[in-house]
């Protein structure tokens, strides 16, 4: 049974407080303004009979005499095949000028998938980006962030992954997007022809901060439903630092005692409850999550990347417009390298990175004015080829072609007995061998 309240006791930021009883946390409410407009709010805190709600559309235009109606249900998202190709706001409304969405209403923010129905991931998600596929391959149901700083091309990187992945459905959850970034995702999907399998949940920088909190929950709830329909789903979240900042802003408005650098003590749980939606379902589909985490000032000890590192299974480190092989790590790559990929995959990846590390040392010796040996000169040549052929974000190669290019690059700079790869592999794969 719905209950009505005709008095708002307090308003602060995007929060309102009313006197009510028998209310549940997360319960949805409808706020009816004097001019007939309606907006929604969700219960955020209960203190005796004082109920604090966060208003999704912001409190502008709301007066203390407006009516608040509790709806006796949680916030829900609409799910169905009609979502494909659509753009949806943080409140679940279409923002692309298209028709109303059709489907079933599903709860958001539910617990992660039943652990007994999960299976150990064994399949690779191909992206055609050598620095991912060859050196830190993405595994189905993996949760992994892209650590970066503002100004790096992390959104174009996500766009490339969205275009080239072999996932059945791509869900993009944008938080705090500028107009250029928002339009960039749209143009990219249309030009690549991937819009038909793409869903976009969007919080723009000009939208109310409260809606930023709903975007990942809506995206992940729908991803889970697609996965239960035997679809492999790739969820791209950008930017989780904006999401964390939204949590901080609301916590400050609620006068919560801050923890590290002003973020609430619940930050770890807030992030984990979203990342743990990644799953490979026994007998059905999967959800794989790639999430951008921008680090203010490049500080990896900042609370957002610091907490993220404890939850996720590695990271891609985007630095100087390239994926850095030294800062990047996929903790699940050993489940697929050499098992579902070619036998030479592990040896090529490990030794190419090792030689690239040696080339960086040779470059340091060169910059310090030391006399270079012939080996140093070959390392420098190799380092330049490695950056050009593998680290550039413009490179687009299938895994097998990238492995072949790895052998070719090694053979142009070294002899087969100098690269540290066992003879049985060099005999088979060394060019001209």
């Amino acid at each position: 049974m719905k209950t009505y309240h005709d008095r708002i006791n307090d308003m602060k930021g995007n929060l309102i407080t009313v006197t009510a009883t028998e209310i549940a946390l997360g319960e949805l409410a409808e706020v009816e303004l004097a001019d007939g407009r309606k907006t929604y709010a969700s219960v955020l805190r209960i203190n005796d009979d004082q109920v604090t709600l966060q208003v999704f559309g912001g409190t502008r235009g709301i007066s203390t005499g407006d009516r608040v109606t509790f709806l006796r249900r949680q916030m829900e998202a609409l799910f169905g095949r009609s979502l494909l190709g659509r753009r949806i706001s943080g409140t679940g409304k279409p923002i692309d000028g298209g028709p109303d969405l059709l489907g079933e209403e599903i709860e958001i923010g539910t617990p992660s998938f039943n652990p007994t129905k999960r299976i150990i991931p064994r399949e690779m998600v191909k992206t055609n980006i050598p620095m991912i596929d060859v050196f830190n391959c993405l595994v189905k149901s993996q949760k992994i962030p892209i650590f970066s700083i503002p100004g790096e091309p992390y959104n174009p990187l996500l766009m490339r992954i969205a275009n080239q992945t072999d996932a059945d459905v791509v869900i993009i959850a944008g938080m705090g997007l500028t107009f250029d970034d928002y339009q960039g995702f749209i143009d990219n999907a249309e030009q690549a022809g991937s819009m038909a399998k793409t869903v976009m949940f969007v919080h723009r920088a000009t939208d109310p901060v409260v809606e930023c909190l709903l975007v990942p929950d809506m995206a992940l709830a729908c991803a889970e439903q697609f996965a239960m329909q035997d679809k492999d789903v790739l969820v791209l979240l950008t930017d989780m630092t904006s999401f964390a900042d939204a949590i901080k802003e609301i916590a400050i408005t609620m006068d919560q005692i801050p923890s590290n650098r002003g973020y609430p003590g619940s930050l770890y749980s807030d992030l984990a409850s979203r990342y743990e939606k990644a799953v490979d379902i026994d007998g059905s589909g999967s959800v794989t999550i790639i999430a951008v985490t921008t680090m203010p000032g490049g500080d990896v000890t900042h609370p957002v990347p610091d907490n993220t590192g404890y939850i996720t299974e590695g990271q891609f480190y985007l630095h100087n417009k390239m994926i850095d092989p030294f800062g990047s790590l996929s903790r699940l790559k050993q489940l697929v390298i050499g098992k579902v990929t070619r036998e030479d995959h592990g040896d090529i990846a490990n030794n190419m990175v090792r030689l690239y590390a040696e080339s960086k040392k040779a470059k340091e010796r060169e910059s310090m004015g030391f006399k270079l040996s012939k080996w140093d000169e070959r390392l420098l040549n190799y380092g330049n080829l490695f950056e050009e052929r593998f680290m550039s974000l413009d490179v687009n190669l299938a895994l097998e072609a990238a492995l072949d290019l790895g052998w070719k690059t090694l053979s142009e700079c070294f002899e087969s007995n100098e690269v540290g790869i066992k003879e049985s592999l060099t005999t088979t794969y060394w060019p001209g061998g």
Side-chain angles (χ1 to χ4, degrees):
M1 179 179 176
K2 297 179 181 179
T3 57
Y4 303 89
H5 300 270
D6 294 325
R7 178 70 183 175
I8 296 175
N9 302 333
D10 185 37
M11 287 188 288
K12 184 186 293 185
N14 291 314
L15 306 181
I16 61 174
T17 302
V18 300
T19 301
T21 57
E22 299 182 1
I23 304 299
L25 281 173
E27 185 173 333
L28 195 64
E30 183 182 79
V31 184
E32 184 177 350
L33 281 64
D35 60 6
R37 289 184 297 118
K38 295 180 180 180
T39 187
Y40 289 97
S42 177
V43 175
L44 199 62
R45 180 172 63 185
I46 301 173
N47 186 10
D48 293 330
D49 62 352
Q50 297 301 297
V51 180
T52 301
L53 305 95
Q54 53 183 0
V55 183
F56 299 150
T59 56
R60 177 180 242 179
I62 295 178
S63 69
T64 56
D66 290 337
R67 171 179 283 191
V68 178
T69 305
F70 290 93
L71 304 179
R72 301 306 184 195
R73 62 180 174 85
Q74 302 281 322
M75 182 63 186
E76 295 175 332
L78 206 61
F79 170 75
R81 292 196 62 82
S82 67
L83 265 64
L84 296 173
R86 302 300 302 274
R87 303 191 298 277
I88 304 159
S89 73
T91 56
K93 305 297 182 183
I95 55 174
D96 54 6
D100 292 340
L101 297 171
L102 300 175
E104 62 175 310
E105 292 184 337
I106 58 172
E107 286 189 13
I108 67 173
T110 56
S112 56
F113 207 83
N114 188 339
T116 64
K117 296 295 184 180
R118 296 170 178 253
I119 58 176
I120 297 174
R122 301 286 186 193
E123 296 183 51
M124 179 178 171
V125 178
K126 295 182 179 180
T127 67
N128 287 2
I129 299 173
M131 290 309 299
I132 296 177
D133 290 356
V134 176
F135 301 100
N136 283 292
C137 52
L138 183 64
V139 180
K140 187 183 291 185
S141 83
Q142 190 166 10
K143 47 188 180 291
I144 192 165
I146 298 173
F147 283 172
S148 184
I149 61 172
E152 290 285 349
Y154 48 81
N155 284 333
L157 175 58
L158 288 184
M159 292 176 200
R160 277 200 58 197
I161 294 172
N163 294 343
Q164 297 167 184
T165 180
D166 51 1
D168 300 314
V169 178
V170 176
I171 297 181
I172 299 171
M175 290 157 276
L177 293 183
T178 65
F179 177 80
D180 287 345
D181 288 333
Y182 172 49
Q183 191 62 44
F185 278 110
I186 298 170
D187 294 343
N188 171 75
E190 290 177 345
Q191 292 167 9
S194 60
M195 184 64 84
K197 70 171 186 178
T198 302
V199 185
M200 296 186 192
F201 290 88
V202 179
H203 167 261
R204 292 163 292 196
T206 54
D207 293 336
V209 67
V210 173
E211 295 183 20
C212 187
L213 304 183
L214 297 175
V215 162
D217 288 341
M218 286 192 170
L220 292 165
C222 291
E224 199 169 62
Q225 293 296 316
F226 276 119
M228 288 190 287
Q229 294 185 359
D230 203 25
K231 302 291 185 184
D232 289 324
V233 186
L234 178 62
V235 180
L236 306 175
L237 306 174
T238 178
D239 163 13
M240 289 303 283
T241 302
S242 295
F243 170 77
D245 287 343
I247 293 174
K248 178 170 73 171
E249 184 173 333
I250 290 173
I252 292 171
T253 304
M254 293 176 63
D255 297 323
Q256 288 185 4
I257 297 174
S259 182
N260 191 3
R261 302 198 202 183
Y263 291 91
S266 63
L267 180 62
Y268 179 92
S269 298
D270 292 328
L271 294 172
S273 63
R274 277 80 185 178
Y275 284 119
E276 290 300 333
K277 289 286 186 176
V279 61
D280 197 350
I281 304 171
D282 189 10
S284 194
S286 65
V287 177
T288 305
I289 299 174
I290 302 178
V292 169
T293 299
T294 52
M295 304 178 295
D299 181 11
V300 76
T301 67
H302 184 274
V304 180
D306 187 40
N307 280 279
T308 299
Y310 286 104
I311 303 165
T312 53
E313 295 149 342
Q315 69 278 330
F316 300 130
Y317 188 68
L318 189 60
H319 180 64
N320 289 334
K321 300 182 179 180
M322 296 184 288
I323 297 177
D324 192 329
F326 305 130
S328 301
L329 170 67
S330 171
R331 294 192 178 96
L332 301 187
K333 65 181 180 181
Q334 302 305 329
L335 298 175
V336 299
I337 286 183
K339 297 179 175 65
V340 298
T341 62
R342 223 164 65 182
E343 60 176 342
D344 59 323
H345 188 167
D347 288 84
I348 276 286
N350 293 336
N351 286 284
M352 287 192 74
V353 171
R354 176 182 60 82
L355 289 167
Y356 180 62
E358 291 188 29
S359 77
K360 299 290 279 185
K361 294 178 182 177
K363 197 164 189 175
E364 287 181 10
R365 290 193 288 272
E366 181 185 43
S367 65
M368 296 172 66
F370 288 103
K371 183 178 179 180
L372 299 181
S373 65
K374 292 189 179 298
W375 175 252
D376 287 331
E377 292 174 353
R378 290 157 68 190
L379 285 172
L380 289 174
N381 181 38
Y382 168 77
N384 292 332
L385 290 175
F386 184 86
E387 291 179 358
E388 176 188 333
R389 296 177 176 179
F390 293 89
M391 292 180 66
S392 171
L393 293 183
D394 295 328
V395 178
N396 179 20
L397 285 174
L399 174 60
E400 289 73 17
L403 293 175
D404 291 339
L405 182 61
W407 284 108
K408 181 176 183 292
T409 303
L410 290 174
S411 69
E412 289 175 358
C413 302
F414 310 106
E415 299 295 329
S416 61
N417 60 352
E418 296 175 324
V419 295
I421 299 177
K422 53 192 176 186
E423 188 176 350
S424 60
L425 291 178
T426 56
T427 300
T428 304
Y429 295 102
W430 195 264

